[in-house]
Amino acid sequence: MLDIIKGGGLLIWPILICSVVALAIILERLWALRTSRILPAELASTVWTLWRNDRLDAGSIRQIALNSPLGAVLAAGLANHKHGREVMQRCIEQAGRQVVHAMERYLNTLGTIASISPYLGLLGSVLGMMKVFAGFSAAHGAGNPAVLAGGLSEILITTAAGLAVAIPSLMFYRYFRGRVNELSMRLEEEAVRLIAVLHGEREE
């Protein structure tokens, strides 16, 4: 493995750094975007129980807000429902934007890695080709085998490494984007339901 890294030339190092960062982001987002963390199944029933029993005071609303991203959205509505539907809706929308922003954390970085990794591999290939052509120069003698082998190795390794980082990074970037959109829609559904129930437009 170490020999492969050494054979990749200088450009293999930024590619390796990209791979480590991408792996860390993927693992962190897989953990952070779990449904049980974003949309706890028991939270809605807890909110309605407190509502029916007239126990939605400032303390309980604060606990709901700290429960989860869904809790933060619902708490924004609960804390402002007495100010009218329009104010309540604006507060929920603002809280929702903050939650979505948090769910999208690091995704731009992952997308950037997916975009630049093939170019790093391509740049490494160009440098490798320059090394190959240098093998034909008078300084190295005609067709120096060691220089030619080193250049070809650099071309193949950096190209493969760049693609190996870019492909899974792009796949997970697309997956997480879709995941955020799905969770956002479900958050919106719960928020609309809360507004309707608290203003007597539908039952729990």
Side-chain angles (χ1 to χ4, degrees):
M1 186 66 179
L2 188 59
D3 292 337
I4 294 176
I5 294 174
K6 288 181 179 179
L10 291 176
L11 267 297
I12 195 67
W13 295 107
I15 293 175
L16 286 175
I17 292 172
C18 286
S19 70
V20 172
V21 174
L23 179 61
I25 292 173
I26 289 168
L27 293 177
E28 191 276 339
R29 289 292 88 187
L30 284 173
W31 177 261
L33 295 178
R34 292 170 296 138
T35 302
S36 59
R37 180 184 175 277
I38 305 296
L39 300 156
E42 74 285 352
L43 180 61
S45 61
T46 300
V47 169
W48 299 128
T49 299
L50 293 172
W51 171 255
R52 285 193 302 268
N53 297 330
D54 197 23
R55 293 169 53 194
L56 278 172
D57 54 16
S60 60
I61 291 175
R62 192 178 306 112
Q63 289 299 317
I64 292 170
L66 297 174
N67 177 274
S68 62
L70 173 60
V73 172
L74 297 182
L78 293 169
N80 294 277
H81 79 277
K82 294 181 180 179
H83 301 295
R85 181 188 180 93
E86 186 176 345
V87 173
M88 181 181 177
Q89 186 170 345
R90 283 204 305 268
C91 292
I92 286 178
E93 288 174 354
Q94 183 178 359
R97 284 193 293 269
Q98 293 174 352
V99 166
V100 171
H101 179 72
M103 290 194 296
E104 291 176 340
R105 186 180 300 166
Y106 308 129
L107 292 191
N108 283 339
T109 302
L110 186 61
T112 301
I113 290 173
S115 299
I116 68 171
S117 295
Y119 292 108
L120 290 173
L122 179 61
L123 180 58
S125 300
V126 171
L127 295 178
M129 290 176 68
M130 292 170 62
K131 187 178 292 187
V132 169
F133 286 123
F136 291 99
S137 68
H140 296 288
N144 188 311
V147 175
L148 292 176
L152 291 172
S153 174
E154 191 169 330
I155 291 172
L156 296 174
I157 291 173
T158 53
T159 302
L163 292 175
V165 174
I167 292 171
S169 296
L170 181 59
M171 289 173 58
F172 276 102
Y173 173 76
R174 299 276 187 177
Y175 168 75
F176 289 136
R177 281 293 180 191
R179 181 75 175 146
V180 169
N181 289 337
E182 177 189 351
L183 292 171
S184 299
M185 289 181 62
R186 294 180 63 180
L187 286 170
E188 184 178 354
E189 290 172 1
E190 292 293 337
V192 169
R193 179 186 174 200
L194 178 73
I195 293 172
V197 171
L198 263 58
H199 287 274
E201 298 169 5
R202 59 177 287 187
E203 297 179 355
E204 298 173 22

